[in-house]
Amino acid sequence: FAPPSPDLVQGFAALEAEKARIEEERVRLEQLSSQQTRQFHIEQHRAEKRVKALEFNIQLKQDLIRNLVKTEQTLQSQNEASEAKIVSLEREIEGMKVSD
């Protein structure tokens, strides 16, 4: 066999260097991907916690609104009953005045 030509040796060395560079880039990209995946999961967990907190706050506000509506209805009924009682008493007073 004849020794490889300098161009062939140089080309082989260039290919080996390119292969090493590509491998380093692959490792770097895998690490970056792993970091981004971890960060995504962290942010996803935070978002899920926020959603749960918001859902709780919404439920709490809905309960408060329901209670306010019930209270308003109760007060309105009591007010109507009080007004009816006042009208009845006023009529009774007028009736007493007329009979005097």
XYZ file of all heavy atoms in Angstrom:
812
model
N 0.821 -1.189 0.000
C 0.000 0.000 0.000
C 0.855 1.238 0.000
O 1.879 1.301 0.674
C -0.873 0.060 1.250
C -2.026 -0.902 1.205
C -2.078 -2.011 2.038
C -3.094 -0.695 0.349
C -3.147 -2.862 2.042
C -4.164 -1.552 0.352
C -4.202 -2.638 1.200
N 0.347 2.226 -0.669
C 1.055 3.508 -0.695
C 0.558 4.343 0.467
O -0.595 4.242 0.863
C 0.776 4.214 -2.009
N 1.419 5.118 1.067
C 0.979 5.967 2.172
C -0.092 6.952 1.661
O -0.051 7.371 0.505
C 2.241 6.679 2.620
C 3.203 6.550 1.507
C 2.793 5.343 0.706
N -1.038 7.301 2.545
C -2.094 8.228 2.114
C -1.487 9.575 1.759
O -0.511 10.016 2.352
C -3.021 8.331 3.307
C -2.330 7.682 4.442
C -1.184 6.908 3.917
N -2.133 10.179 0.811
C -1.629 11.482 0.383
C -1.868 12.516 1.477
O -2.771 12.367 2.296
C -2.327 11.917 -0.907
O -3.677 12.224 -0.637
N -1.035 13.568 1.494
C -1.221 14.613 2.511
C -2.618 15.221 2.439
O -3.214 15.554 3.465
C -0.150 15.650 2.186
C 0.871 14.908 1.391
C 0.150 13.800 0.696
N -3.175 15.345 1.249
C -4.528 15.897 1.120
C -5.552 14.978 1.778
O -6.489 15.431 2.438
C -4.903 16.086 -0.349
C -4.163 17.242 -0.999
O -3.659 18.102 -0.236
O -4.121 17.282 -2.236
N -5.346 13.679 1.597
C -6.255 12.701 2.186
C -6.142 12.740 3.708
O -7.150 12.716 4.417
C -5.934 11.304 1.662
C -6.897 10.196 2.072
C -8.306 10.494 1.596
C -6.429 8.861 1.530
N -4.913 12.804 4.229
C -4.700 12.870 5.682
C -5.303 14.150 6.225
O -5.973 14.156 7.265
C -3.194 12.776 6.003
C -2.928 13.084 7.468
C -2.651 11.411 5.631
N -5.096 15.237 5.527
C -5.617 16.530 5.952
C -7.156 16.513 5.904
O -7.824 17.001 6.815
C -5.060 17.634 5.046
C -5.270 19.012 5.578
C -4.593 20.043 4.675
O -4.355 19.798 3.479
N -4.288 21.178 5.251
N -7.711 15.940 4.856
C -9.174 15.835 4.744
C -9.753 14.979 5.851
O -10.808 15.292 6.420
N -9.064 13.862 6.160
C -9.508 12.993 7.238
C -9.470 13.727 8.576
O -10.413 13.628 9.379
C -8.651 11.723 7.280
C -9.113 10.731 8.296
C -10.262 9.974 8.072
C -8.410 10.547 9.482
C -10.690 9.057 9.023
C -8.835 9.636 10.429
C -9.988 8.885 10.203
N -8.395 14.466 8.805
C -8.263 15.235 10.048
C -9.370 16.287 10.132
O -9.961 16.509 11.201
C -6.891 15.888 10.127
N -9.680 16.916 9.008
C -10.757 17.915 8.990
C -12.094 17.252 9.307
O -12.924 17.798 10.047
C -10.797 18.617 7.631
N -12.329 16.062 8.753
C -13.573 15.338 9.026
C -13.673 14.941 10.497
O -14.748 15.031 11.105
C -13.683 14.098 8.143
C -14.021 14.351 6.678
C -13.976 13.039 5.893
C -15.394 14.984 6.533
N -12.555 14.494 11.060
C -12.545 14.129 12.475
C -12.829 15.354 13.351
O -13.569 15.273 14.327
C -11.202 13.499 12.861
C -11.016 12.082 12.356
C -11.987 11.103 12.995
O -12.254 11.201 14.218
O -12.511 10.239 12.257
N -12.246 16.488 12.988
C -12.476 17.727 13.737
C -13.947 18.139 13.622
O -14.582 18.548 14.609
C -11.560 18.838 13.227
N -14.501 18.025 12.428
C -15.921 18.359 12.206
C -16.813 17.414 13.007
O -17.798 17.835 13.601
C -16.242 18.274 10.706
C -17.674 18.615 10.350
C -18.025 20.076 10.555
O -17.127 20.913 10.773
O -19.224 20.381 10.523
N -16.452 16.132 13.024
C -17.208 15.146 13.788
C -17.192 15.498 15.271
O -18.224 15.449 15.956
C -16.623 13.750 13.571
C -17.333 12.657 14.329
C -16.662 11.311 14.081
C -17.245 10.240 14.963
N -16.553 8.974 14.845
N -16.031 15.878 15.797
C -15.905 16.255 17.206
C -16.734 17.508 17.497
O -17.415 17.590 18.528
C -14.436 16.481 17.562
N -16.690 18.481 16.573
C -17.458 19.718 16.747
C -18.964 19.412 16.743
O -19.714 19.920 17.574
C -17.118 20.709 15.632
C -17.737 22.097 15.860
C -17.618 22.987 14.638
N -18.374 22.500 13.490
C -19.725 22.555 13.379
N -20.447 23.029 14.369
N -20.318 22.115 12.294
N -19.387 18.541 15.844
C -20.803 18.174 15.769
C -21.228 17.444 17.045
O -22.315 17.684 17.576
C -21.079 17.320 14.507
C -20.953 18.192 13.262
C -22.435 16.653 14.570
C -21.001 17.421 11.952
N -20.391 16.584 17.555
C -20.700 15.860 18.792
C -20.819 16.826 19.965
O -21.727 16.709 20.788
C -19.626 14.792 19.065
C -19.853 13.973 20.318
C -21.145 13.168 20.309
O -21.711 12.890 19.225
O -21.608 12.807 21.410
N -19.893 17.790 20.038
C -19.954 18.805 21.092
C -21.243 19.612 20.981
O -21.902 19.907 21.990
C -18.745 19.740 21.019
C -17.452 19.101 21.456
C -16.246 19.999 21.198
O -16.439 21.160 20.753
O -15.119 19.554 21.439
N -21.610 19.958 19.762
C -22.842 20.715 19.527
C -24.058 19.878 19.926
O -25.004 20.382 20.530
C -22.937 21.125 18.047
C -24.169 21.933 17.696
C -24.167 23.338 18.270
O -23.144 23.787 18.819
O -25.216 23.996 18.172
N -24.041 18.576 19.625
C -25.146 17.687 19.998
C -25.304 17.631 21.517
O -26.400 17.756 22.050
C -24.911 16.276 19.451
C -26.077 15.303 19.718
C -25.720 13.877 19.375
N -24.657 13.322 20.191
C -24.812 12.900 21.457
N -25.977 12.970 22.043
N -23.776 12.401 22.117
N -24.168 17.479 22.208
C -24.190 17.429 23.673
C -24.716 18.750 24.232
O -25.560 18.768 25.139
C -22.793 17.096 24.231
C -22.731 17.300 25.742
C -22.401 15.673 23.863
N -24.239 19.867 23.680
C -24.695 21.193 24.134
C -26.191 21.356 23.906
O -26.924 21.819 24.787
C -23.918 22.294 23.400
C -24.219 23.697 23.924
C -23.554 24.772 23.078
N -24.175 24.921 21.780
C -25.346 25.551 21.562
N -26.018 26.055 22.572
N -25.841 25.661 20.346
N -26.676 20.938 22.744
C -28.099 21.055 22.443
C -28.945 20.155 23.340
O -30.036 20.537 23.766
C -28.364 20.744 20.968
C -27.865 21.796 19.972
C -28.049 21.298 18.546
C -28.571 23.119 20.175
N -28.453 18.965 23.654
C -29.170 18.075 24.566
C -29.259 18.689 25.958
O -30.302 18.617 26.617
C -28.495 16.707 24.625
C -28.774 15.835 23.425
C -28.057 14.489 23.488
O -27.240 14.271 24.411
O -28.325 13.662 22.605
N -28.160 19.300 26.410
C -28.171 19.953 27.719
C -29.142 21.126 27.726
O -29.915 21.310 28.675
C -26.761 20.422 28.096
C -25.816 19.293 28.423
C -24.383 19.773 28.610
O -24.019 20.880 28.214
N -23.555 18.917 29.207
N -29.098 21.911 26.660
C -30.004 23.049 26.539
C -31.455 22.570 26.532
O -32.311 23.130 27.214
C -29.688 23.847 25.267
C -30.559 25.073 25.005
C -30.410 26.092 26.125
C -30.186 25.696 23.666
N -31.711 21.514 25.782
C -33.056 20.950 25.722
C -33.502 20.469 27.096
O -34.646 20.705 27.510
C -33.093 19.798 24.722
O -34.343 19.163 24.744
N -32.606 19.824 27.803
C -32.921 19.335 29.150
C -33.222 20.503 30.088
O -34.184 20.451 30.860
C -31.755 18.510 29.671
O -32.020 18.039 30.961
N -32.441 21.561 30.016
C -32.673 22.744 30.846
C -34.016 23.383 30.505
O -34.774 23.763 31.400
C -31.557 23.773 30.632
C -30.240 23.389 31.236
C -29.134 24.368 30.836
O -29.303 25.177 29.926
N -28.001 24.277 31.520
N -34.295 23.487 29.213
C -35.564 24.092 28.797
C -36.743 23.231 29.235
O -37.783 23.757 29.629
C -35.581 24.303 27.285
C -34.666 25.412 26.831
C -34.603 25.543 25.323
O -34.925 24.611 24.591
N -34.171 26.700 24.852
N -36.572 21.929 29.184
C -37.638 21.023 29.634
C -37.885 21.194 31.121
O -39.042 21.286 31.558
C -37.272 19.561 29.308
O -37.101 19.425 27.901
C -38.343 18.600 29.786
N -36.810 21.257 31.906
C -36.958 21.471 33.353
C -37.639 22.812 33.626
O -38.547 22.901 34.453
C -35.595 21.423 34.044
C -35.100 20.023 34.339
C -33.912 20.017 35.293
N -32.781 20.803 34.828
C -31.827 20.358 34.020
N -31.866 19.125 33.574
N -30.837 21.143 33.649
N -37.189 23.852 32.923
C -37.781 25.176 33.118
C -39.258 25.171 32.737
O -40.090 25.764 33.423
C -37.014 26.229 32.296
C -37.448 27.649 32.565
C -37.198 28.073 33.999
O -36.244 27.659 34.633
N -38.083 28.897 34.530
N -39.581 24.478 31.652
C -40.980 24.371 31.231
C -41.817 23.710 32.323
O -42.904 24.178 32.656
C -41.093 23.572 29.930
C -42.508 23.225 29.575
C -43.338 24.175 28.991
C -43.014 21.961 29.844
C -44.647 23.867 28.669
C -44.326 21.641 29.526
C -45.136 22.588 28.938
N -41.306 22.625 32.898
C -42.054 21.927 33.938
C -42.219 22.795 35.184
O -43.279 22.776 35.824
C -41.404 20.587 34.281
C -41.577 19.564 33.207
N -42.801 19.073 32.826
C -40.687 18.936 32.405
C -42.658 18.189 31.854
N -41.374 18.095 31.575
N -41.201 23.549 35.512
C -41.289 24.465 36.654
C -42.361 25.510 36.394
O -43.230 25.767 37.238
C -39.921 25.127 36.939
C -38.947 24.093 37.510
C -40.072 26.321 37.888
C -37.504 24.569 37.563
N -42.323 26.118 35.216
C -43.306 27.146 34.875
C -44.706 26.550 34.761
O -45.695 27.182 35.159
C -42.904 27.845 33.576
C -41.675 28.721 33.752
C -41.191 29.342 32.454
O -41.949 29.341 31.466
O -40.042 29.817 32.438
N -44.789 25.336 34.249
C -46.091 24.667 34.150
C -46.659 24.432 35.551
O -47.848 24.660 35.785
C -45.945 23.337 33.409
C -47.260 22.609 33.196
C -47.064 21.278 32.495
O -46.012 20.644 32.619
N -48.070 20.851 31.766
N -45.819 24.006 36.475
C -46.264 23.780 37.850
C -46.739 25.090 38.481
O -47.787 25.119 39.151
C -45.123 23.163 38.664
C -45.490 22.862 40.074
N -46.379 21.873 40.418
C -45.099 23.435 41.235
C -46.514 21.856 41.734
N -45.751 22.785 42.246
N -45.985 26.157 38.265
C -46.394 27.468 38.788
C -47.730 27.887 38.203
O -48.597 28.412 38.921
C -45.334 28.528 38.463
C -44.110 28.444 39.313
C -43.134 29.536 38.959
N -41.866 29.346 39.651
C -40.703 29.753 39.204
N -40.619 30.380 38.046
N -39.611 29.542 39.893
N -47.890 27.688 36.903
C -49.143 28.054 36.243
C -50.305 27.230 36.794
O -51.396 27.769 37.029
C -49.019 27.862 34.732
N -50.083 25.952 37.022
C -51.132 25.100 37.583
C -51.521 25.567 38.980
O -52.699 25.582 39.332
C -50.676 23.644 37.610
C -50.625 23.002 36.239
C -49.947 21.638 36.227
O -49.392 21.209 37.271
O -49.967 20.999 35.159
N -50.522 25.952 39.779
C -50.814 26.463 41.121
C -51.615 27.762 41.038
O -52.541 27.971 41.817
C -49.510 26.692 41.898
C -48.875 25.402 42.391
C -47.522 25.617 43.023
C -47.615 26.354 44.320
N -46.310 26.474 45.000
N -51.249 28.620 40.088
C -51.986 29.877 39.917
C -53.419 29.613 39.492
O -54.350 30.261 39.963
C -51.305 30.758 38.869
C -50.481 31.847 39.494
C -50.080 32.918 38.524
N -50.944 34.055 38.752
C -51.310 34.894 37.819
N -50.908 34.741 36.603
N -52.084 35.911 38.103
N -53.596 28.667 38.577
C -54.942 28.321 38.114
C -55.777 27.812 39.292
O -56.941 28.206 39.447
C -54.886 27.283 36.970
C -56.246 26.666 36.710
C -54.351 27.921 35.694
N -55.185 26.953 40.124
C -55.915 26.451 41.287
C -56.285 27.586 42.230
O -57.396 27.615 42.766
C -55.086 25.400 42.022
C -55.054 24.069 41.303
C -54.243 23.038 42.067
C -54.178 21.738 41.277
N -53.389 20.725 41.963
N -55.357 28.518 42.447
C -55.640 29.659 43.322
C -56.752 30.521 42.726
O -57.652 30.974 43.443
C -54.377 30.490 43.533
N -56.702 30.729 41.415
C -57.746 31.521 40.760
C -59.093 30.809 40.829
O -60.127 31.444 41.073
C -57.366 31.801 39.303
C -56.218 32.778 39.098
C -55.800 32.807 37.630
C -56.602 34.173 39.563
N -59.087 29.499 40.623
C -60.333 28.741 40.724
C -60.913 28.849 42.131
O -62.123 29.009 42.301
C -60.098 27.268 40.372
C -59.879 27.031 38.892
C -59.463 25.597 38.568
O -59.065 24.851 39.506
O -59.530 25.229 37.387
N -60.046 28.774 43.143
C -60.502 28.907 44.524
C -61.104 30.290 44.749
O -62.175 30.426 45.348
C -59.341 28.662 45.498
C -59.712 28.891 46.927
C -60.441 27.942 47.621
C -59.332 30.058 47.575
C -60.795 28.157 48.945
C -59.685 30.280 48.890
C -60.422 29.330 49.580
N -60.411 31.331 44.261
C -60.914 32.700 44.425
C -62.241 32.890 43.702
O -63.142 33.553 44.217
C -59.887 33.714 43.921
C -58.745 33.883 44.887
O -58.879 33.628 46.072
N -57.595 34.306 44.380
N -62.360 32.316 42.517
C -63.619 32.418 41.772
C -64.739 31.738 42.555
O -65.834 32.293 42.693
C -63.470 31.805 40.359
C -62.598 32.710 39.490
C -64.829 31.574 39.707
C -62.173 32.075 38.177
N -64.463 30.539 43.070
C -65.469 29.810 43.852
C -65.871 30.612 45.080
O -67.056 30.711 45.409
C -64.926 28.436 44.263
C -65.930 27.581 44.996
C -67.115 27.214 44.140
O -66.979 26.868 42.981
N -68.306 27.300 44.708
N -64.881 31.197 45.748
C -65.146 31.999 46.935
C -66.035 33.188 46.583
O -67.017 33.474 47.275
C -63.825 32.473 47.550
C -63.904 33.268 48.840
C -64.471 32.398 49.957
C -62.528 33.775 49.220
N -65.722 33.864 45.491
C -66.514 35.024 45.070
C -67.924 34.610 44.656
O -68.889 35.315 44.947
C -65.800 35.773 43.944
C -64.578 36.515 44.455
C -63.796 37.183 43.367
C -62.553 37.843 43.972
N -61.744 38.498 42.970
N -68.052 33.464 44.002
C -69.384 32.975 43.635
C -70.201 32.695 44.892
O -71.391 33.026 44.951
C -69.275 31.718 42.768
C -68.793 31.996 41.363
C -68.539 30.728 40.565
O -68.295 29.665 41.123
N -68.577 30.848 39.246
N -69.565 32.094 45.901
C -70.256 31.836 47.170
C -70.675 33.147 47.831
O -71.794 33.261 48.352
C -69.366 31.035 48.121
C -69.154 29.597 47.671
O -69.915 29.119 46.799
O -68.210 28.953 48.190
N -69.796 34.130 47.817
C -70.122 35.432 48.404
C -71.289 36.084 47.670
O -72.189 36.657 48.305
C -68.896 36.349 48.376
C -67.763 35.988 49.338
C -66.540 36.848 49.058
C -68.210 36.143 50.775
N -71.279 35.994 46.352
C -72.373 36.572 45.568
C -73.688 35.868 45.900
O -74.724 36.515 46.092
C -72.060 36.502 44.052
C -70.935 37.482 43.717
C -73.308 36.789 43.218
C -70.363 37.306 42.324
N -73.653 34.523 45.982
C -74.867 33.777 46.345
C -75.379 34.215 47.715
O -76.587 34.414 47.917
C -74.594 32.280 46.331
C -74.741 31.643 44.969
C -74.765 30.123 45.055
N -73.441 29.555 45.337
C -72.500 29.350 44.426
N -72.722 29.643 43.168
N -71.332 28.845 44.763
N -74.464 34.371 48.666
C -74.862 34.809 50.004
C -75.431 36.221 49.986
O -76.404 36.512 50.689
C -73.681 34.723 50.973
C -73.347 33.295 51.347
O -74.182 32.404 51.242
N -72.119 33.062 51.778
N -74.824 37.096 49.192
C -75.345 38.457 49.082
C -76.745 38.468 48.481
O -77.623 39.204 48.935
C -74.406 39.326 48.231
C -73.130 39.792 48.911
C -72.209 40.465 47.895
C -73.447 40.740 50.048
N -76.964 37.649 47.464
C -78.286 37.578 46.830
C -79.311 37.068 47.840
O -80.416 37.623 47.958
C -78.233 36.688 45.564
C -79.628 36.362 45.060
C -77.425 37.373 44.473
N -78.955 36.012 48.588
C -79.871 35.479 49.599
C -80.169 36.528 50.663
O -81.323 36.711 51.073
C -79.270 34.244 50.267
C -79.305 33.008 49.416
C -78.682 31.834 50.159
C -78.580 30.614 49.263
N -77.896 29.494 49.942
N -79.124 37.219 51.103
C -79.302 38.265 52.116
C -80.187 39.376 51.584
O -81.083 39.860 52.289
C -77.935 38.828 52.557
O -77.147 37.758 53.081
C -78.082 39.923 53.592
N -79.943 39.778 50.344
C -80.756 40.841 49.737
C -82.217 40.401 49.643
O -83.119 41.180 49.958
C -80.224 41.183 48.344
C -81.030 42.277 47.655
C -80.564 42.532 46.238
O -79.940 41.650 45.638
O -80.858 43.626 45.733
N -82.458 39.160 49.237
C -83.823 38.668 49.129
C -84.492 38.622 50.501
O -85.662 39.001 50.646
C -83.836 37.280 48.484
C -83.470 37.303 47.016
C -83.265 35.907 46.431
O -83.094 34.940 47.165
N -83.265 35.821 45.110
N -83.746 38.173 51.503
C -84.292 38.124 52.863
C -84.627 39.523 53.355
O -85.721 39.758 53.902
C -83.280 37.459 53.828
O -83.001 36.139 53.358
C -83.799 37.412 55.248
N -83.704 40.456 53.146
C -83.941 41.836 53.579
C -85.109 42.461 52.825
O -85.902 43.204 53.406
C -82.677 42.678 53.403
C -81.529 42.356 54.360
C -80.287 43.161 53.993
C -81.941 42.637 55.797
N -85.216 42.146 51.552
C -86.318 42.688 50.757
C -87.652 42.145 51.276
O -88.621 42.892 51.414
C -86.136 42.338 49.285
C -87.109 43.036 48.369
C -86.786 42.799 46.900
O -85.903 42.019 46.579
N -87.497 43.469 46.021
N -87.693 40.854 51.595
C -88.917 40.256 52.149
C -89.262 40.888 53.493
O -90.435 41.201 53.765
C -88.749 38.756 52.327
O -88.621 38.123 51.092
N -88.254 41.062 54.329
C -88.483 41.681 55.630
C -88.950 43.118 55.475
O -89.829 43.579 56.208
C -87.211 41.625 56.480
C -86.858 40.238 56.956
C -85.522 40.181 57.679
O -84.748 41.142 57.668
N -85.239 39.042 58.299
N -88.361 43.827 54.511
C -88.747 45.208 54.258
C -90.199 45.272 53.789
O -90.975 46.124 54.245
C -87.807 45.838 53.225
C -87.980 47.334 53.107
O -88.382 47.989 54.053
N -87.674 47.869 51.938
N -90.571 44.376 52.882
C -91.955 44.348 52.393
C -92.923 44.026 53.534
O -93.994 44.634 53.642
C -92.092 43.330 51.261
C -91.413 43.768 49.980
C -91.355 42.672 48.915
O -91.845 41.551 49.157
O -90.808 42.953 47.831
N -92.535 43.087 54.395
C -93.384 42.742 55.534
C -93.509 43.923 56.483
O -94.609 44.214 56.995
C -92.817 41.531 56.271
N -92.402 44.618 56.695
C -92.428 45.791 57.578
C -93.299 46.888 56.987
O -94.086 47.536 57.703
C -91.021 46.335 57.813
O -90.242 45.391 58.503
N -93.180 47.117 55.692
C -94.000 48.138 55.033
C -95.479 47.776 55.122
O -96.335 48.644 55.374
C -93.578 48.312 53.577
C -92.260 49.036 53.420
C -91.794 49.147 51.961
O -92.584 48.830 51.047
O -90.645 49.549 51.757
N -95.786 46.493 54.918
C -97.181 46.052 55.018
C -97.696 46.261 56.441
O -98.844 46.687 56.641
C -97.294 44.588 54.614
N -96.870 45.966 57.433
C -97.256 46.160 58.830
C -97.485 47.638 59.114
O -98.459 47.999 59.793
C -96.160 45.589 59.731
C -96.448 45.677 61.195
C -97.537 44.720 61.586
C -97.691 44.711 63.092
N -98.762 43.845 63.524
N -96.596 48.504 58.581
C -96.741 49.952 58.780
C -98.044 50.431 58.158
O -98.804 51.199 58.776
C -95.524 50.703 58.203
C -94.299 50.447 59.074
C -95.796 52.201 58.093
C -92.993 50.939 58.472
N -98.324 49.992 56.933
C -99.574 50.389 56.263
C -100.779 49.918 57.084
O -101.751 50.650 57.269
C -99.621 49.829 54.818
C -100.985 49.963 54.210
C -98.576 50.519 53.956
N -100.696 48.706 57.584
C -101.792 48.167 58.402
C -101.987 48.989 59.660
O -103.117 49.326 60.034
C -101.488 46.718 58.752
O -102.417 46.219 59.668
N -100.870 49.324 60.329
C -100.966 50.133 61.552
C -101.475 51.537 61.249
O -102.265 52.093 62.025
C -99.599 50.189 62.250
C -99.127 48.886 62.894
C -97.687 49.033 63.386
C -100.049 48.461 64.026
N -101.044 52.118 60.126
C -101.530 53.455 59.749
C -103.026 53.420 59.507
O -103.755 54.338 59.901
C -100.784 53.954 58.505
C -99.358 54.387 58.786
C -98.583 54.766 57.527
O -99.008 54.411 56.403
O -97.519 55.404 57.674
N -103.502 52.366 58.857
C -104.942 52.235 58.617
C -105.697 52.074 59.944
O -106.797 52.626 60.137
C -105.229 51.037 57.703
C -104.870 51.311 56.274
C -105.262 50.142 55.394
N -104.779 50.381 54.047
C -104.480 49.437 53.180
N -104.620 48.156 53.511
N -104.068 49.734 51.977
N -105.098 51.296 60.830
C -105.715 51.082 62.123
C -105.804 52.404 62.891
O -106.827 52.709 63.510
C -104.901 50.062 62.912
C -105.548 49.617 64.214
C -104.725 48.562 64.925
O -104.148 47.672 64.241
O -104.649 48.630 66.158
N -104.708 53.204 62.792
C -104.705 54.524 63.463
C -105.751 55.436 62.846
O -106.499 56.121 63.554
C -103.305 55.162 63.393
C -102.331 54.375 64.279
C -103.326 56.617 63.793
C -100.870 54.765 64.110
N -105.823 55.443 61.510
C -106.843 56.272 60.832
C -108.242 55.822 61.237
O -109.126 56.647 61.451
C -106.674 56.158 59.308
C -105.493 56.917 58.758
C -105.574 58.420 59.001
O -106.670 58.995 58.864
O -104.520 58.996 59.343
N -108.410 54.518 61.351
C -109.716 54.003 61.759
C -110.050 54.440 63.176
O -111.218 54.739 63.478
N -109.072 54.489 64.062
C -109.303 54.924 65.427
C -109.634 56.416 65.466
O -110.471 56.848 66.263
C -108.088 54.647 66.291
C -107.820 53.209 66.519
S -106.262 53.058 67.393
C -106.640 51.710 68.458
N -108.974 57.195 64.598
C -109.215 58.648 64.554
C -110.640 58.930 64.062
O -111.316 59.802 64.548
C -108.207 59.331 63.636
C -106.841 59.447 64.223
C -105.916 60.171 63.243
C -104.505 60.276 63.765
N -103.610 60.905 62.788
N -111.065 58.175 63.048
C -112.386 58.386 62.462
C -113.469 58.003 63.485
O -114.499 58.662 63.603
C -112.546 57.557 61.166
C -113.962 57.559 60.662
C -111.601 58.092 60.117
N -113.242 56.979 64.257
C -114.252 56.536 65.213
C -114.316 57.422 66.460
O -115.255 57.353 67.207
C -114.019 55.080 65.597
O -112.799 54.949 66.278
N -113.305 58.265 66.659
C -113.306 59.163 67.820
C -114.188 60.312 67.636
O -114.849 60.878 67.091
C -111.895 59.694 68.107
C -111.065 58.687 68.881
O -111.626 57.712 69.401
O -109.832 58.871 68.942
